[in-house]
């Protein structure tokens, strides 16, 4: 009986999060992450450099005793690096029990984007090849690039970070 109640609660939580995205800015583009992956948003923290990881992995932070790898999303998406400001944030996400920090220019808002307002990215035949984008949300007259959180970091990246952190 207790298991059934827990399943109903989890299903209820997923329903209330369905279609909700945390949006953030990188330059002129707006990206969205499904809210179910977001654990918290924090200001920029002191980051410990980790050798022998890809350049977009800025290092690790200690957040309340948890060591979390941090990725600069500008570098991940091959954008021009800029200095961090008071608007720079780290979005902490949880991907299958793995915590990961995403450094973004600024966090915008949580918005509802219904399935009927989401279209798949253009096909690779158009030259649009981006494995990180799982859909494009149409919001009024603008678009939000919806990220596939599970593809943001590869197993090789995680192995490199974990080895360096030890």
């Amino acid at each position: 009986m207790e298991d059934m109640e827990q399943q109903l609660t989890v299903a209820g939580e997923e329903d209330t999060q369905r279609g909700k995205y945390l949006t953030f800015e990188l330059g002129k583009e707006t990206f969205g992450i499904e809210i179910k992956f977001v654990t918290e948003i924090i200001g920029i923290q002191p980051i410990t450099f980790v050798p022998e990881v890809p350049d977009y992995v800025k290092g690790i932070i200690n957040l309340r005793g948890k060591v979390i790898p941090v990725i600069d999303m500008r570098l991940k998406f091959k954008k021009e690096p800029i200095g961090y400001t008071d608007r720079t944030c780290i979005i902490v996400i949880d991907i299958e029990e793995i915590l990961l920090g995403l450094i973004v220019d600024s966090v915008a808002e949580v918005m509802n984007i219904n399935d009927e307002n989401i279209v798949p990215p253009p096909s690779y035949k158009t030259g649009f090849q981006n494995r990180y984008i799982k859909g494009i949300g149409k919001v009024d007259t603008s678009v939000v690039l919806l990220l596939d959180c599970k593809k943001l970091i590869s197993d090789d990246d995680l192995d490199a970070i974990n080895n360096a952190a030890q």
Side-chain angles (χ1 to χ4, degrees), residues 91-120:
I91 302 171
V92 180
I93 61 173
D94 184 334
I95 307 167
E96 297 172 4
E97 306 293 316
I98 296 168
L99 291 176
L100 182 64
L102 310 178
I103 301 173
V104 301
D105 292 356
S106 64
V107 169
E109 62 182 310
V110 173
M111 61 173 52
N112 284 317
I113 305 175
N114 297 324
D115 289 346
E116 61 266 17
N117 292 326
I118 298 173
V119 296

Side-chain angles (χ1 to χ4, degrees), residues 16 30 32 37 47 52 55 58 67 70 86 107 110 113 124 132:
T16 60
T30 302
F37 292 109
I47 299 171
E52 297 184 32
D55 64 342
K58 295 305 283 184
V67 175
V70 181
D86 59 345
V107 169
V110 173
I113 305 175
Y124 68 92
Y132 307 117

Side-chain angles (χ1 to χ4, degrees), residues 119-123 128 130 133-136:
V119 296
S123 80
F128 185 98
N130 195 316
I133 306 298
K134 75 172 187 179
I136 297 174

Side-chain angles (χ1 to χ4, degrees), residues 24-32 55-58 71-84 103-106 128 130 132-133 145 147:
F24 63 89
E25 311 291 326
L26 282 182
K28 294 183 172 105
E29 285 83 35
T30 302
F31 293 86
D55 64 342
Y56 58 83
V57 178
K58 295 305 283 184
I71 292 177
D72 188 315
M73 296 303 287
R74 279 185 157 272
L75 299 178
K76 177 77 172 172
F77 292 161
K78 300 187 178 12
K79 289 179 148 302
E80 194 65 34
I82 60 169
Y84 299 150
I103 301 173
V104 301
D105 292 356
S106 64
F128 185 98
N130 195 316
Y132 307 117
I133 306 298
L145 302 171
L147 297 180

